[in-house]
mmCIF file of all heavy atoms in Angstrom:
data_model
loop_
_atom_site.group_PDB
_atom_site.id
_atom_site.type_symbol
_atom_site.label_atom_id
_atom_site.label_comp_id
_atom_site.label_asym_id
_atom_site.label_seq_id
_atom_site.Cartn_x
_atom_site.Cartn_y
_atom_site.Cartn_z
ATOM 1 N N GLN A 1 22.641 121.215 105.877
ATOM 2 C CA GLN A 1 21.954 119.968 106.181
ATOM 3 C C GLN A 1 22.736 118.744 105.708
ATOM 4 O O GLN A 1 22.792 117.727 106.402
ATOM 5 C CB GLN A 1 20.564 119.961 105.528
ATOM 6 C CG GLN A 1 19.559 120.903 106.170
ATOM 7 C CD GLN A 1 19.195 120.491 107.590
ATOM 8 O OE1 GLN A 1 19.597 121.131 108.555
ATOM 9 N NE2 GLN A 1 18.443 119.421 107.714
ATOM 10 N N GLN A 2 23.335 118.825 104.530
ATOM 11 C CA GLN A 2 23.950 117.646 103.935
ATOM 12 C C GLN A 2 25.462 117.556 104.135
ATOM 13 O O GLN A 2 26.013 116.453 104.143
ATOM 14 C CB GLN A 2 23.629 117.593 102.438
ATOM 15 C CG GLN A 2 22.146 117.401 102.163
ATOM 16 C CD GLN A 2 21.844 117.109 100.706
ATOM 17 O OE1 GLN A 2 22.702 116.668 99.950
ATOM 18 N NE2 GLN A 2 20.605 117.355 100.300
ATOM 19 N N GLN A 3 26.113 118.696 104.282
ATOM 20 C CA GLN A 3 27.573 118.683 104.414
ATOM 21 C C GLN A 3 28.049 119.192 105.770
ATOM 22 O O GLN A 3 29.245 119.158 106.055
ATOM 23 C CB GLN A 3 28.207 119.504 103.281
ATOM 24 C CG GLN A 3 27.896 118.935 101.889
ATOM 25 C CD GLN A 3 28.553 119.716 100.769
ATOM 26 O OE1 GLN A 3 29.140 120.788 100.982
ATOM 27 N NE2 GLN A 3 28.456 119.194 99.555
ATOM 28 N N GLY A 4 27.123 119.679 106.574
ATOM 29 C CA GLY A 4 27.460 120.092 107.925
ATOM 30 C C GLY A 4 28.386 121.282 108.012
ATOM 31 O O GLY A 4 29.116 121.429 108.988
ATOM 32 N N ARG A 5 28.357 122.144 107.017
ATOM 33 C CA ARG A 5 29.241 123.310 107.041
ATOM 34 C C ARG A 5 28.475 124.578 106.666
ATOM 35 O O ARG A 5 27.470 124.528 105.962
ATOM 36 C CB ARG A 5 30.432 123.117 106.094
ATOM 37 C CG ARG A 5 30.066 122.988 104.626
ATOM 38 C CD ARG A 5 31.263 122.583 103.767
ATOM 39 N NE ARG A 5 30.911 122.540 102.353
ATOM 40 C CZ ARG A 5 31.121 123.545 101.498
ATOM 41 N NH1 ARG A 5 31.686 124.681 101.921
ATOM 42 N NH2 ARG A 5 30.787 123.433 100.225
ATOM 43 N N GLU A 6 28.978 125.662 107.185
ATOM 44 C CA GLU A 6 28.419 126.967 106.856
ATOM 45 C C GLU A 6 29.174 127.536 105.662
ATOM 46 O O GLU A 6 30.399 127.451 105.595
ATOM 47 C CB GLU A 6 28.555 127.925 108.045
ATOM 48 C CG GLU A 6 27.841 127.474 109.313
ATOM 49 C CD GLU A 6 26.348 127.756 109.281
ATOM 50 O OE1 GLU A 6 25.878 128.368 108.299
ATOM 51 O OE2 GLU A 6 25.655 127.346 110.225
ATOM 52 N N ILE A 7 28.456 128.091 104.707
ATOM 53 C CA ILE A 7 29.118 128.759 103.593
ATOM 54 C C ILE A 7 28.671 130.216 103.567
ATOM 55 O O ILE A 7 27.612 130.573 104.080
ATOM 56 C CB ILE A 7 28.811 128.083 102.244
ATOM 57 C CG1 ILE A 7 27.308 128.136 101.917
ATOM 58 C CG2 ILE A 7 29.321 126.647 102.230
ATOM 59 C CD1 ILE A 7 26.974 127.636 100.513
ATOM 60 N N THR A 8 29.486 131.047 102.974
ATOM 61 C CA THR A 8 29.177 132.461 102.900
ATOM 62 C C THR A 8 28.122 132.705 101.830
ATOM 63 O O THR A 8 27.876 131.861 100.948
ATOM 64 C CB THR A 8 30.423 133.283 102.550
ATOM 65 O OG1 THR A 8 30.850 132.924 101.223
ATOM 66 C CG2 THR A 8 31.549 133.020 103.544
ATOM 67 N N GLU A 9 27.505 133.861 101.897
ATOM 68 C CA GLU A 9 26.533 134.213 100.872
ATOM 69 C C GLU A 9 27.209 134.319 99.512
ATOM 70 O O GLU A 9 26.619 133.993 98.483
ATOM 71 C CB GLU A 9 25.830 135.522 101.233
ATOM 72 C CG GLU A 9 24.695 135.861 100.296
ATOM 73 C CD GLU A 9 23.680 136.818 100.885
ATOM 74 O OE1 GLU A 9 23.481 136.824 102.110
ATOM 75 O OE2 GLU A 9 23.057 137.549 100.107
ATOM 76 N N ALA A 10 28.476 134.763 99.497
ATOM 77 C CA ALA A 10 29.209 134.884 98.234
ATOM 78 C C ALA A 10 29.410 133.514 97.594
ATOM 79 O O ALA A 10 29.233 133.345 96.375
ATOM 80 C CB ALA A 10 30.556 135.569 98.472
ATOM 81 N N GLU A 11 29.784 132.513 98.397
ATOM 82 C CA GLU A 11 29.955 131.161 97.861
ATOM 83 C C GLU A 11 28.618 130.604 97.389
ATOM 84 O O GLU A 11 28.531 129.955 96.330
ATOM 85 C CB GLU A 11 30.560 130.238 98.919
ATOM 86 C CG GLU A 11 30.839 128.828 98.415
ATOM 87 C CD GLU A 11 31.449 127.932 99.477
ATOM 88 O OE1 GLU A 11 31.809 128.429 100.564
ATOM 89 O OE2 GLU A 11 31.566 126.718 99.208
ATOM 90 N N SER A 12 27.574 130.863 98.171
ATOM 91 C CA SER A 12 26.246 130.412 97.785
ATOM 92 C C SER A 12 25.804 131.064 96.477
ATOM 93 O O SER A 12 25.169 130.429 95.631
ATOM 94 C CB SER A 12 25.246 130.735 98.903
ATOM 95 O OG SER A 12 23.954 130.320 98.573
ATOM 96 N N GLN A 13 26.164 132.325 96.285
ATOM 97 C CA GLN A 13 25.796 133.034 95.054
ATOM 98 C C GLN A 13 26.441 132.394 93.837
ATOM 99 O O GLN A 13 25.814 132.279 92.771
ATOM 100 C CB GLN A 13 26.194 134.503 95.154
ATOM 101 C CG GLN A 13 25.797 135.343 93.945
ATOM 102 C CD GLN A 13 24.296 135.452 93.768
ATOM 103 O OE1 GLN A 13 23.591 135.856 94.685
ATOM 104 N NE2 GLN A 13 23.795 135.086 92.587
ATOM 105 N N LEU A 14 27.694 131.942 93.974
ATOM 106 C CA LEU A 14 28.370 131.269 92.864
ATOM 107 C C LEU A 14 27.626 129.993 92.470
ATOM 108 O O LEU A 14 27.477 129.678 91.285
ATOM 109 C CB LEU A 14 29.818 130.951 93.233
ATOM 110 C CG LEU A 14 30.764 132.143 93.344
ATOM 111 C CD1 LEU A 14 32.135 131.694 93.853
ATOM 112 C CD2 LEU A 14 30.912 132.846 91.994
ATOM 113 N N MET A 15 27.145 129.251 93.460
ATOM 114 C CA MET A 15 26.377 128.042 93.191
ATOM 115 C C MET A 15 25.025 128.391 92.570
ATOM 116 O O MET A 15 24.548 127.722 91.642
ATOM 117 C CB MET A 15 26.194 127.241 94.482
ATOM 118 C CG MET A 15 27.507 126.757 95.083
ATOM 119 S SD MET A 15 27.338 126.115 96.775
ATOM 120 C CE MET A 15 26.416 124.590 96.478
ATOM 121 N N TYR A 16 24.428 129.467 93.055
ATOM 122 C CA TYR A 16 23.140 129.895 92.517
ATOM 123 C C TYR A 16 23.274 130.364 91.075
ATOM 124 O O TYR A 16 22.350 130.188 90.266
ATOM 125 C CB TYR A 16 22.567 131.009 93.394
ATOM 126 C CG TYR A 16 21.171 131.442 93.000
ATOM 127 C CD1 TYR A 16 20.104 130.543 93.006
ATOM 128 C CD2 TYR A 16 20.908 132.763 92.647
ATOM 129 C CE1 TYR A 16 18.830 130.943 92.658
ATOM 130 C CE2 TYR A 16 19.629 133.173 92.292
ATOM 131 C CZ TYR A 16 18.599 132.256 92.297
ATOM 132 O OH TYR A 16 17.327 132.655 91.946
ATOM 133 N N ASP A 17 24.416 130.940 90.744
ATOM 134 C CA ASP A 17 24.644 131.378 89.367
ATOM 135 C C ASP A 17 24.569 130.194 88.400
ATOM 136 O O ASP A 17 24.098 130.340 87.264
ATOM 137 C CB ASP A 17 26.010 132.060 89.243
ATOM 138 C CG ASP A 17 26.038 133.433 89.898
ATOM 139 O OD1 ASP A 17 24.953 133.978 90.200
ATOM 140 O OD2 ASP A 17 27.143 133.953 90.128
ATOM 141 N N GLU A 18 25.051 129.021 88.837
ATOM 142 C CA GLU A 18 24.963 127.832 87.987
ATOM 143 C C GLU A 18 23.513 127.388 87.840
ATOM 144 O O GLU A 18 23.083 126.995 86.751
ATOM 145 C CB GLU A 18 25.804 126.697 88.585
ATOM 146 C CG GLU A 18 25.718 125.365 87.839
ATOM 147 C CD GLU A 18 26.181 125.432 86.396
ATOM 148 O OE1 GLU A 18 26.811 126.436 85.991
ATOM 149 O OE2 GLU A 18 25.926 124.460 85.654
ATOM 150 N N LYS A 19 22.756 127.445 88.919
ATOM 151 C CA LYS A 19 21.332 127.123 88.820
ATOM 152 C C LYS A 19 20.639 128.071 87.846
ATOM 153 O O LYS A 19 19.824 127.659 87.016
ATOM 154 C CB LYS A 19 20.690 127.206 90.216
ATOM 155 C CG LYS A 19 19.219 126.818 90.241
ATOM 156 C CD LYS A 19 18.306 128.026 90.154
ATOM 157 C CE LYS A 19 16.838 127.625 90.128
ATOM 158 N NZ LYS A 19 15.941 128.800 90.067
ATOM 159 N N THR A 20 20.980 129.355 87.913
ATOM 160 C CA THR A 20 20.395 130.354 87.028
ATOM 161 C C THR A 20 20.751 130.068 85.573
ATOM 162 O O THR A 20 19.905 130.183 84.674
ATOM 163 C CB THR A 20 20.885 131.756 87.426
ATOM 164 O OG1 THR A 20 20.485 132.026 88.772
ATOM 165 C CG2 THR A 20 20.322 132.829 86.508
ATOM 166 N N ARG A 21 22.001 129.692 85.334
ATOM 167 C CA ARG A 21 22.448 129.396 83.965
ATOM 168 C C ARG A 21 21.622 128.258 83.365
ATOM 169 O O ARG A 21 21.157 128.340 82.221
ATOM 170 C CB ARG A 21 23.933 129.023 83.958
ATOM 171 C CG ARG A 21 24.504 128.791 82.556
ATOM 172 C CD ARG A 21 25.863 128.133 82.615
ATOM 173 N NE ARG A 21 25.788 126.756 83.104
ATOM 174 C CZ ARG A 21 25.386 125.728 82.361
ATOM 175 N NH1 ARG A 21 25.003 125.902 81.113
ATOM 176 N NH2 ARG A 21 25.351 124.510 82.883
ATOM 177 N N ILE A 22 21.433 127.196 84.138
ATOM 178 C CA ILE A 22 20.667 126.056 83.649
ATOM 179 C C ILE A 22 19.206 126.454 83.402
ATOM 180 O O ILE A 22 18.611 126.100 82.375
ATOM 181 C CB ILE A 22 20.747 124.881 84.641
ATOM 182 C CG1 ILE A 22 22.191 124.351 84.699
ATOM 183 C CG2 ILE A 22 19.781 123.769 84.251
ATOM 184 C CD1 ILE A 22 22.414 123.298 85.758
ATOM 185 N N PHE A 23 18.641 127.218 84.323
ATOM 186 C CA PHE A 23 17.245 127.642 84.173
ATOM 187 C C PHE A 23 17.043 128.421 82.883
ATOM 188 O O PHE A 23 16.078 128.187 82.143
ATOM 189 C CB PHE A 23 16.815 128.479 85.376
ATOM 190 C CG PHE A 23 15.410 129.017 85.270
ATOM 191 C CD1 PHE A 23 14.321 128.210 85.569
ATOM 192 C CD2 PHE A 23 15.176 130.329 84.872
ATOM 193 C CE1 PHE A 23 13.016 128.696 85.464
ATOM 194 C CE2 PHE A 23 13.885 130.824 84.758
ATOM 195 C CZ PHE A 23 12.801 130.007 85.059
ATOM 196 N N HIS A 24 17.957 129.328 82.581
ATOM 197 C CA HIS A 24 17.787 130.174 81.401
ATOM 198 C C HIS A 24 18.161 129.462 80.104
ATOM 199 O O HIS A 24 17.925 130.007 79.022
ATOM 200 C CB HIS A 24 18.591 131.463 81.567
ATOM 201 C CG HIS A 24 17.976 132.426 82.539
ATOM 202 N ND1 HIS A 24 16.766 133.049 82.317
ATOM 203 C CD2 HIS A 24 18.376 132.845 83.765
ATOM 204 C CE1 HIS A 24 16.461 133.810 83.347
ATOM 205 N NE2 HIS A 24 17.424 133.710 84.243
ATOM 206 N N SER A 25 18.711 128.268 80.209
ATOM 207 C CA SER A 25 18.973 127.467 79.004
ATOM 208 C C SER A 25 17.735 126.674 78.590
ATOM 209 O O SER A 25 17.705 126.077 77.511
ATOM 210 C CB SER A 25 20.135 126.500 79.253
ATOM 211 O OG SER A 25 19.742 125.439 80.122
ATOM 212 N N MET A 26 16.711 126.682 79.418
ATOM 213 C CA MET A 26 15.494 125.919 79.170
ATOM 214 C C MET A 26 14.458 126.787 78.455
ATOM 215 O O MET A 26 14.567 128.015 78.431
ATOM 216 C CB MET A 26 14.947 125.392 80.504
ATOM 217 C CG MET A 26 15.947 124.540 81.266
ATOM 218 S SD MET A 26 15.397 124.097 82.926
ATOM 219 C CE MET A 26 14.154 122.883 82.507
ATOM 220 N N PRO A 27 13.451 126.149 77.835
ATOM 221 C CA PRO A 27 12.397 126.924 77.159
ATOM 222 C C PRO A 27 11.697 127.876 78.132
ATOM 223 O O PRO A 27 11.527 127.569 79.310
ATOM 224 C CB PRO A 27 11.433 125.845 76.668
ATOM 225 C CG PRO A 27 12.260 124.611 76.556
ATOM 226 C CD PRO A 27 13.269 124.699 77.672
ATOM 227 N N GLU A 28 11.288 129.027 77.626
ATOM 228 C CA GLU A 28 10.630 130.027 78.458
ATOM 229 C C GLU A 28 9.307 129.491 78.984
ATOM 230 O O GLU A 28 8.499 128.942 78.234
ATOM 231 C CB GLU A 28 10.404 131.301 77.639
ATOM 232 C CG GLU A 28 9.962 132.496 78.448
ATOM 233 C CD GLU A 28 9.923 133.760 77.618
ATOM 234 O OE1 GLU A 28 9.023 133.880 76.761
ATOM 235 O OE2 GLU A 28 10.783 134.630 77.813
ATOM 236 N N ALA A 29 9.092 129.639 80.285
ATOM 237 C CA ALA A 29 7.857 129.153 80.910
ATOM 238 C C ALA A 29 6.672 130.005 80.468
ATOM 239 O O ALA A 29 6.794 131.224 80.316
ATOM 240 C CB ALA A 29 7.988 129.189 82.422
ATOM 241 N N PRO A 30 5.509 129.395 80.267
ATOM 242 C CA PRO A 30 4.332 130.159 79.837
ATOM 243 C C PRO A 30 3.736 130.994 80.959
ATOM 244 O O PRO A 30 3.925 130.703 82.146
ATOM 245 C CB PRO A 30 3.351 129.063 79.396
ATOM 246 C CG PRO A 30 3.734 127.868 80.210
ATOM 247 C CD PRO A 30 5.227 127.947 80.369
ATOM 248 N N ILE A 31 3.032 132.030 80.578
ATOM 249 C CA ILE A 31 2.253 132.821 81.539
ATOM 250 C C ILE A 31 1.164 131.925 82.137
ATOM 251 O O ILE A 31 0.539 131.133 81.443
ATOM 252 C CB ILE A 31 1.629 134.043 80.854
ATOM 253 C CG1 ILE A 31 2.737 135.022 80.405
ATOM 254 C CG2 ILE A 31 0.644 134.759 81.772
ATOM 255 C CD1 ILE A 31 2.232 136.182 79.585
ATOM 256 N N MET A 32 0.960 132.046 83.425
ATOM 257 C CA MET A 32 -0.029 131.212 84.111
ATOM 258 C C MET A 32 -1.439 131.537 83.614
ATOM 259 O O MET A 32 -1.836 132.715 83.609
ATOM 260 C CB MET A 32 0.057 131.444 85.621
ATOM 261 C CG MET A 32 -0.794 130.483 86.436
ATOM 262 S SD MET A 32 -0.257 128.767 86.336
ATOM 263 C CE MET A 32 1.248 128.816 87.339
ATOM 264 N N PRO A 33 -2.201 130.540 83.180
ATOM 265 C CA PRO A 33 -3.581 130.793 82.737
ATOM 266 C C PRO A 33 -4.403 131.480 83.841
ATOM 267 O O PRO A 33 -4.376 131.070 84.990
ATOM 268 C CB PRO A 33 -4.124 129.383 82.447
ATOM 269 C CG PRO A 33 -2.901 128.573 82.140
ATOM 270 C CD PRO A 33 -1.821 129.127 83.033
ATOM 271 N N GLY A 34 -5.090 132.530 83.461
ATOM 272 C CA GLY A 34 -5.958 133.243 84.397
ATOM 273 C C GLY A 34 -5.343 134.481 85.008
ATOM 274 O O GLY A 34 -6.074 135.348 85.506
ATOM 275 N N ILE A 35 -4.010 134.611 84.964
ATOM 276 C CA ILE A 35 -3.374 135.732 85.672
ATOM 277 C C ILE A 35 -3.657 137.065 84.979
ATOM 278 O O ILE A 35 -3.864 138.091 85.653
ATOM 279 C CB ILE A 35 -1.855 135.500 85.843
ATOM 280 C CG1 ILE A 35 -1.245 136.571 86.736
ATOM 281 C CG2 ILE A 35 -1.147 135.461 84.502
ATOM 282 C CD1 ILE A 35 -1.750 136.588 88.149
ATOM 283 N N LEU A 36 -3.694 137.085 83.650
ATOM 284 C CA LEU A 36 -3.932 138.351 82.965
ATOM 285 C C LEU A 36 -5.359 138.853 83.202
ATOM 286 O O LEU A 36 -5.561 140.057 83.421
ATOM 287 C CB LEU A 36 -3.656 138.194 81.470
ATOM 288 C CG LEU A 36 -2.175 138.092 81.090
ATOM 289 C CD1 LEU A 36 -2.026 137.722 79.616
ATOM 290 C CD2 LEU A 36 -1.441 139.402 81.376
ATOM 291 N N SER A 37 -6.332 137.961 83.173
ATOM 292 C CA SER A 37 -7.710 138.390 83.437
ATOM 293 C C SER A 37 -7.867 138.871 84.872
ATOM 294 O O SER A 37 -8.625 139.819 85.151
ATOM 295 C CB SER A 37 -8.690 137.249 83.148
ATOM 296 O OG SER A 37 -8.430 136.117 83.958
ATOM 297 N N LEU A 38 -7.146 138.244 85.801
ATOM 298 C CA LEU A 38 -7.189 138.685 87.194
ATOM 299 C C LEU A 38 -6.573 140.061 87.342
ATOM 300 O O LEU A 38 -7.158 140.960 87.980
ATOM 301 C CB LEU A 38 -6.453 137.676 88.078
ATOM 302 C CG LEU A 38 -6.297 138.044 89.556
ATOM 303 C CD1 LEU A 38 -7.654 138.282 90.205
ATOM 304 C CD2 LEU A 38 -5.521 136.954 90.297
ATOM 305 N N MET A 39 -5.413 140.269 86.735
ATOM 306 C CA MET A 39 -4.760 141.581 86.832
ATOM 307 C C MET A 39 -5.604 142.666 86.196
ATOM 308 O O MET A 39 -5.646 143.802 86.687
ATOM 309 C CB MET A 39 -3.379 141.533 86.190
ATOM 310 C CG MET A 39 -2.314 140.867 87.036
ATOM 311 S SD MET A 39 -0.675 141.291 86.409
ATOM 312 C CE MET A 39 0.365 140.462 87.629
ATOM 313 N N GLU A 40 -6.290 142.339 85.107
ATOM 314 C CA GLU A 40 -7.132 143.334 84.444
ATOM 315 C C GLU A 40 -8.247 143.803 85.381
ATOM 316 O O GLU A 40 -8.546 145.006 85.450
ATOM 317 C CB GLU A 40 -7.723 142.753 83.162
ATOM 318 C CG GLU A 40 -8.620 143.714 82.390
ATOM 319 C CD GLU A 40 -7.917 144.997 81.971
ATOM 320 O OE1 GLU A 40 -6.708 144.941 81.629
ATOM 321 O OE2 GLU A 40 -8.563 146.063 81.994
ATOM 322 N N GLN A 41 -8.845 142.889 86.120
ATOM 323 C CA GLN A 41 -9.896 143.257 87.078
ATOM 324 C C GLN A 41 -9.339 144.142 88.194
ATOM 325 O O GLN A 41 -9.968 145.126 88.592
ATOM 326 C CB GLN A 41 -10.496 141.998 87.695
ATOM 327 C CG GLN A 41 -11.265 141.123 86.737
ATOM 328 C CD GLN A 41 -11.814 139.891 87.433
ATOM 329 O OE1 GLN A 41 -12.779 139.980 88.195
ATOM 330 N NE2 GLN A 41 -11.200 138.745 87.191
ATOM 331 N N ILE A 42 -8.166 143.775 88.699
ATOM 332 C CA ILE A 42 -7.556 144.539 89.787
ATOM 333 C C ILE A 42 -7.177 145.934 89.310
ATOM 334 O O ILE A 42 -7.443 146.947 89.969
ATOM 335 C CB ILE A 42 -6.331 143.785 90.334
ATOM 336 C CG1 ILE A 42 -6.772 142.448 90.953
ATOM 337 C CG2 ILE A 42 -5.569 144.633 91.350
ATOM 338 C CD1 ILE A 42 -5.620 141.522 91.280
ATOM 339 N N HIS A 43 -6.567 145.993 88.134
ATOM 340 C CA HIS A 43 -6.141 147.271 87.548
ATOM 341 C C HIS A 43 -7.351 148.174 87.287
ATOM 342 O O HIS A 43 -7.311 149.383 87.574
ATOM 343 C CB HIS A 43 -5.379 146.988 86.255
ATOM 344 C CG HIS A 43 -4.960 148.212 85.508
ATOM 345 N ND1 HIS A 43 -3.946 149.046 85.937
ATOM 346 C CD2 HIS A 43 -5.408 148.751 84.345
ATOM 347 C CE1 HIS A 43 -3.785 150.033 85.081
ATOM 348 N NE2 HIS A 43 -4.663 149.885 84.111
ATOM 349 N N ALA A 44 -8.437 147.593 86.760
ATOM 350 C CA ALA A 44 -9.632 148.376 86.447
ATOM 351 C C ALA A 44 -10.264 148.967 87.698
ATOM 352 O O ALA A 44 -10.929 150.012 87.638
ATOM 353 C CB ALA A 44 -10.643 147.500 85.706
ATOM 354 N N ALA A 45 -10.041 148.320 88.844
ATOM 355 C CA ALA A 45 -10.583 148.820 90.110
ATOM 356 C C ALA A 45 -9.690 149.890 90.738
ATOM 357 O O ALA A 45 -10.005 150.399 91.822
ATOM 358 C CB ALA A 45 -10.767 147.660 91.083
ATOM 359 N N GLY A 46 -8.579 150.224 90.073
ATOM 360 C CA GLY A 46 -7.690 151.256 90.592
ATOM 361 C C GLY A 46 -6.789 150.788 91.716
ATOM 362 O O GLY A 46 -6.277 151.602 92.497
#
């Protein structure tokens, strides 16, 4: 969209690796409120 060129998945992966590095340098995101109680209900129902 911005540079008008096609890149390979391998090149895109290298760029994504930098995004991943930055993400993992940040504080760990909290568990979403409500998800554990929801999973418990689903799990209990088999």
